[in-house]
Amino acid sequence: MNAQEELNTTEVVRGSLKRRYAREKRFRLFGLAAITASLTFLAVLLITITARGLPAFKQTFIQLEVTLDSKTLGVGENPDTNELRRANYNGAIKKSLTTLFPDVKKRKDKKALYKLVSKGGQYDLQKRVMADPSLVGETLKVWLPVGDDTNSYIQGNIDSSLPEKKRRFKDNQILWVDQLTEDKQIQRRFNSTFFERGDSREPEMAGIKGSLFGSMLTLMVTLLLSFPVAVATAIYLEEFAPKNRWTDLIEVNINNLAAVPSIVFGLLGLAIFINFFNLPRSAPIVGGLVLSLMTLPTIIISARAALKSVPPSIRDAALGVGASKLQVVFHHVLPLAMPGILTGTIIGMAQALGETAPLLMIGMVAFIVDVPTSLTDPATVLPVQIYQWADLPEKGFVEKTSAAIMVLLAFLIVMNAAAVYLRRKFERKW
Amino acid sequence: MLLLIIFVLTSVAYVVGRSRAATLRKNGEQLHSLPRYYGYMTAICTAVPALLLLALWSASEPTFLKHSTVKTLPAEVQSLPQGQLDLVLNDIKNIATGGITQTADDPVREASANHYNDRKNTSQLLKSFFVLVASVLGALYGLRKIGVQTRARIFVERAMMTVLIACSCIAIFTTVGIVLSVLFESLRFFNKVPFTEFAFGLHWSPQTSIRADQVGSSGSFGAVPIFAGTLLISAIAMLVAVPFGLMSAIYLAEYASSNVRAWAKPLLEILAGIPTVVYGFFAALTVAPLVRDIFEGVGFEDVASESALAAGLVMGIMIIPFVSSLSDDVITAVPQAMRDGSLGLGATKSETIKRVVIPAALPGIVGAILLAVSRAIGETMIVVMAAGLAANLTINPLEAVTTVTVQIVTLLTGDQAFDSPKTLVAFALGLMLFVTTLILNVIALVVVRKYREQYE
Amino acid sequence: MNEEVNPLPSLEQDQTSEQTIEEIVASLGDTVGQPRVDDPKMSVSNVDVFYGKKQAIFGVDLDIANNEVVSMIGPSGCGKSTLLRCLNRMNDTIPICRVSGELTLDGEDIYSKDTDPVLLRARVGMVFQKPNPFPKSIYENVAYGPRLHGLNRNKADLDDIVVNSLKKAGIYNEVKNRLDESGTSLSGGQQQRLCIARTIACSPEVILMDEPCSALDPIATAKIEELIDELRENYAIAIVTHSMQQAARVSQRTAYFHLGKLVEVGDTDTIFTNPRHELTENYITGRFG
Ligand SMILES: Nc1ncnc2c1ncn2[C@@H]1O[C@H](COP(=O)(O)OP(=O)(O)OP(=O)(O)O)[C@@H](O)[C@H]1O
Ligand SMILES: [Mg+2]
């Protein structure tokens, strides 16, 4: 009976093997496919954004011969600063364009011609003249940024084979630009505007300096507030706290806060910091406060892990030579745990840097041109700037958005790399 | 400025305290602690009361100034609704600081501004005075305490402990703050609009209520379409995230060589580290048009350009690494003995995984999925940028739907009069969001914790 | 007799001495005793096992016959588990593990390309050191193997297999009223017998046991030993144990390992009463190990 059964087992199993191995293979493939799909998506995301954003790091300039006579500028003989600020630089630019293309007579055509140069061009001129008032009356050769559509055309984003009505860039404009290109009066250069200016309604004049500064101020507040508080909390919970209901409650609280949607923190900021404490809206200080509440749990959790990984033998050794518990923690345990805590802090800061939603709630979403210089100035931050630009229809802003994303990601990569480096360098096996 | 003075005073207090203690010690007294600690003690006595006073004063100053300024205004201005009154006050503040104002010069406001400036200056003066006095008194008290009987180290350590405990309570205060801020405003909302209408109403159009000429007829606040939209998008996201995340975790934990693991895990984590605003941009600009083109190509009509599908897909991808890293932890926590037992009976690897490892890890995986759901519900930027505003009650993923977070953002950004139902309802939505995610999180945390304890 | 074998220093000194393991092993000489039997169920010939660069088993020969229990003894780390796990290719799950030499089951090479580890493991069952019931019901634990391999035609069949296996493992009377309860709710000894029942349910031909009683108290141990003796009627059994008494009680033949080398093998009675190799004698008289 037994021998028969044995035979039976072998045969039954052998019969089903093929099917079972096919299933095994399929399952494994599913796993591989899942990972590959996720990583492919990552690649697609990064590539699309880079492809879109790269052109924004270059800007097209047009060379014009601008005559800055006081009549065109509408200023007196010896203009003071105020007069110079209000002078009609736009007129000078227009005049130089019409001298360049004297055949353009019709009003509509002239308008099209003026569009070649960015509206921001006049600010460049203004800046130069105000720095050197003796330029009034002179004729200068200047490089001015071109308008959004011209820029698109030069980048090859406008299909000139389409019928004229269907494109924003008209035939005569193409003619002018082609001629200028031939005369080497059009050039692509590194786009320093993007890093040197604040927001603007004109894509070619919009920059991220304002939002970068806003991000820095906000992060500074976040770091200054959350780091000490988180470390103190972690030390208390890990080293001193008695195991009771209250500390249990704190723990559950921290773990839960780590999973509360960020927008809820925004509501908290709006209701408490702005409406109750009357702190200014749109200010980095409020943003920093909100973000520090948000990053606290992240830092606390990693700081606790770092403290926990310091072996008890070190505490015992220090206690053994008569140090008080607090001294042990601050002189021996904390320094050893510091790399781990810093790693967690950097990761928390990276999270805060990319956070958008709560900042929308506290009004950091306004259109702000100026670069913030203090904690109470109205400001915006990089991710919010991205959000704002993403909504704008101009082609130039799509590029700018992608470029701003690239800058943001670059910061995040640097921060995370630093965290990984720290972790590797100080990884210790006790 | 004031802070600087306090800082200097504190430093001086430290030095004096220390040297005093050192002198005592040199004179042969048996001090309890090192002189350093007497320095710290004096410094604490100097700084803490002064800083507390400063904080209290600064916190109450604006409120006090506001009240006193409002009193100087004519009665009809005083009786304006809160929102407009705030505008007037802002104006006055602007005049006072010499900024630009919209309103032409108005003698009443000028006067108020002068009053405001007056009061402010007095307050500043008084503040500086009292704070400095507090600081100096503290320093003197600290110095007098230096002596043989005082155990300075204990004092300093007590103070440190107090700081530590206070810091760890901030987590609790934050939660309390969240609850209070959303609850309070929500209650005000439910005073104006009955809860039943909010929870069961099928029609959502809060915008109608902002027009001033319609004061009586508030908009309709039936939130069901919003909840449904949130669920729809979250469901789509979970349909993407759970299979992909789980299978990735299984592959990484059970099949991948350590080399592949060392590469794939950090790469997946990059996916988790990308800010959601970037996903939102990508969803709106690339995925949504793609989804529309594909489905219209297949023959569907009326595919919304802001379809729930696009937002859900991208959100799902964002959550994949979240699910996979949590499940990975959970799966690797299943003891090897379980696998050996199954393999030893002649199971293939996939059979072992499907029949033993996953069932054993199930509580942990469920916990991970609950956390992921809570994440999907609370996710904001992707839906704000890629999902619509239209509150359609539908389960068709090709239509546009709206979510709780989208509505909160749209209702609270831009101009707002703070007591209109339109803004208050955002807090009611926030309350719902908070409560839902709280429940999900707590269940998940408890489940995962139990699971961990099971395998030590 | 191996006259030229040096008296070996204790293990501790091994580690500090200049000699490499290979040199020590070479100095151990050939296996003492007869590793072969007439009609082997499984047979191990000249097997080496490596973990990465490190060699854990050195040229072992050993047979396992039907209806007998072979016990493997030796100091910790001498490779007993390693060899046992080679017998049903559980070592395949360890990526760095490499096996060379010949291992056969009914004369077929189990490491050949044609042999399937899944089938092999169904025929050569294994019971582990720590009881490892699945977190499922008792019934499901036992039904796991048959279900996997499709050994039953219908539910009644499966019930039969489960009941029979539990009966053979001598635990049926204790659990017959609670088949739906979780396997992990049983006591340690019951869990181990459940694991044996689980193995039997696949109707294997050989059962391998790696220290099956090390986590159990004496009473549970006695029960398992009794069970092993009964199982001998139908299966070939190999058991690793640290308890000399246990080896003496349950096994017919005994193999003594040292540092990955099979030092001596023979009838259990002979080995325990009259060991021929000095190391074996030292070990069973308790001078080390
Ligand atoms: N997975 C592994 N990777 C690397 N080396 C291993 C592994 N498993 C066992 N070894 C090594 O192989 C040798 C034999 O180990 P094995 O587990 O077979 O010993 P054992 O005789 O069963 O010991 P014990 O009586 O303690 O169970 C040991 O030196 C051990 O370090
Ligand atoms: Mg072993």
Side-chain angles (χ1 to χ4, degrees), chain C residues 209-226:
Chain C
M209 300 186 176
D210 192 350
E211 303 182 30
C213 303
S214 65
L216 307 181
D217 67 279
I219 294 174
T221 303
K223 278 201 176 139
I224 304 248
E225 285 178 2
E226 216 172 286

Side-chain angles (χ1 to χ4, degrees), chain B residues 189-190 193-206 219-232 389-394 401-405 407-408 411 424-433:
Chain B
F189 171 72
F190 291 130
V193 178
F195 180 75
T196 44
E197 188 201 323
F198 174 74
F200 303 109
L202 298 182
H203 188 63
W204 173 263
S205 63
S220 42
F221 293 99
V224 172
I226 301 180
F227 296 146
T230 311
L231 284 185
L232 178 63
L389 282 172
N392 294 324
L393 187 54
T394 173
V401 295
T402 189
T403 72
V404 173
T405 47
Q407 288 305 321
I408 295 177
L411 292 172
L424 290 180
V425 71
F427 284 90
L429 288 174
L431 181 67
M432 295 294 135
L433 185 63

Side-chain angles (χ1 to χ4, degrees), chain C residues 21 50-52 54-57 74-85 91 94 96-97 129 210-211 240-242 257 260:
Chain C
I21 292 194
F50 298 84
Y51 288 112
K54 192 179 157 232
Q55 188 166 3
I57 296 283
S76 187
C78 68
K80 306 174 301 276
S81 302
T82 303
L83 184 65
L84 200 71
R85 288 166 64 94
N91 275 344
I94 301 169
I96 57 168
C97 182
Q129 179 169 359
D210 192 350
E211 303 182 30
V240 169
T241 175
H242 271 287
F257 291 82

Side-chain angles (χ1 to χ4, degrees), chain B residues 431-447:
Chain B
L431 181 67
M432 295 294 135
L433 185 63
F434 179 70
V435 171
T436 319
T437 52
L438 178 77
I439 293 172
L440 284 172
N441 295 342
V442 168
I443 296 178
L445 290 174
V446 169
V447 169

Side-chain angles (χ1 to χ4, degrees), chain B residues 236-435:
Chain B
I236 296 172
M238 296 319 289
L239 280 181
V240 174
V242 171
F244 279 83
L246 202 54
M247 284 311 290
S248 301
I250 289 173
Y251 188 83
L252 283 179
E254 302 281 340
Y255 287 110
S257 67
S258 56
N259 238 333
V260 172
R261 211 176 138 85
W263 275 102
K265 268 195 100 159
L267 281 178
L268 273 183
E269 271 162 29
I270 293 186
L271 211 48
I274 291 178
T276 53
V277 66
V278 178
Y279 282 105
F281 177 64
F282 188 69
L285 205 71
T286 312
V287 180
L290 197 70
V291 164
R292 193 172 62 170
D293 291 350
I294 289 176
F295 278 89
E296 285 188 342
V298 178
F300 285 91
E301 277 169 26
D302 296 337
V303 180
S305 60
E306 299 185 315
S307 61
L309 187 59
L313 277 179
V314 174
M315 191 192 280
I317 289 165
M318 183 203 86
I319 298 177
I320 287 176
F322 191 72
V323 174
S324 94
S325 82
L326 284 177
S327 328
D328 191 341
D329 290 353
V330 166
I331 288 171
T332 34
V334 174
Q336 183 61 31
M338 290 292 149
R339 295 185 185 91
D340 282 351
S342 167
L343 292 172
L345 290 171
T348 63
K349 209 156 182 178
S350 64
E351 284 163 350
T352 303
I353 294 167
K354 281 188 269 190
R355 299 187 182 204
V356 175
V357 177
I358 300 294
L362 201 58
I365 293 177
V366 168
I369 293 178
L370 286 181
L371 281 178
V373 171
S374 138
R375 199 80 196 239
I377 291 177
E379 171 49 41
T380 309
M381 290 323 291
I382 295 178
V383 279
V384 167
M385 294 167 83
L389 282 172
N392 294 324
L393 187 54
T394 173
I395 53 163
N396 177 359
L398 298 178
E399 275 187 51
V401 295
T402 189
T403 72
V404 173
T405 47
V406 172
Q407 288 305 321
I408 295 177
V409 169
T410 25
L411 292 172
L412 286 185
T413 48
D415 299 325
Q416 42 176 318
F418 210 73
D419 42 6
S420 79
K422 182 200 154 198
T423 41
L424 290 180
V425 71
F427 284 90
L429 288 174
L431 181 67
M432 295 294 135
L433 185 63
F434 179 70
V435 171

Side-chain angles (χ1 to χ4, degrees), chain A residues 133-322:
Chain A
S134 67
L135 286 177
V136 177
E138 305 276 312
T139 301
L140 299 180
K141 278 201 165 180
V142 285
W143 287 97
L144 295 175
V146 302
D148 186 34
D149 293 334
T150 318
N151 200 25
S152 293
Y153 171 70
I154 299 216
Q155 282 172 15
N157 288 334
I158 287 178
D159 184 2
S160 47
S161 63
L162 280 177
E164 190 177 11
K165 281 214 167 118
K166 284 205 171 163
R167 54 187 144 84
R168 292 174 59 114
F169 207 60
K170 305 300 174 194
D171 282 344
N172 49 3
Q173 287 176 310
I174 290 179
L175 223 62
W176 297 324
V177 171
D178 284 351
Q179 193 191 334
L180 284 170
T181 319
E182 219 155 90
D183 297 345
K184 299 233 163 17
Q185 300 216 52
I186 281 193
Q187 235 184 40
R188 306 261 300 148
R189 298 191 198 160
F190 177 69
N191 185 357
S192 53
T193 313
F194 185 60
F195 294 98
E196 287 170 358
R197 299 189 73 107
D199 200 1
S200 162
R201 294 281 184 226
E202 313 297 326
E204 65 276 5
M205 296 314 287
I208 54 169
K209 189 176 175 191
S211 52
L212 261 185
F213 272 64
S215 273
M216 275 177 206
L217 288 172
T218 311
L219 271 199
M220 198 178 74
V221 176
T222 309
L223 182 64
L224 288 181
L225 288 176
S226 62
F227 180 71
V229 172
V231 172
T233 308
I235 289 178
Y236 179 71
L237 289 180
E238 204 52 51
E239 305 282 337
F240 298 103
K243 194 92 195 99
N244 59 23
R245 283 244 166 126
W246 179 244
T247 49
D248 237 29
L249 182 70
I250 296 182
E251 278 213 56
V252 171
N253 240 302
I254 290 171
N255 286 331
N256 177 55
L257 280 181
V260 164
S262 58
I263 194 171
V264 173
F265 285 94
L267 289 177
L268 166 87
L270 177 60
I272 301 223
F273 297 134
I274 294 185
N275 286 337
F276 189 73
F277 283 118
N278 281 316
L279 289 171
R281 275 171 75 84
S282 314
I285 179 127
V286 183
L289 275 169
V290 170
L291 290 184
S292 57
L293 290 184
M294 225 187 72
T295 43
L296 260 181
T298 315
I299 307 182
I300 292 176
I301 290 170
S302 60
R304 288 189 65 179
L307 288 171
K308 205 179 261 164
S309 72
V310 176
S313 58
I314 288 187
R315 296 181 182 84
D316 295 344
L319 280 174
V321 298

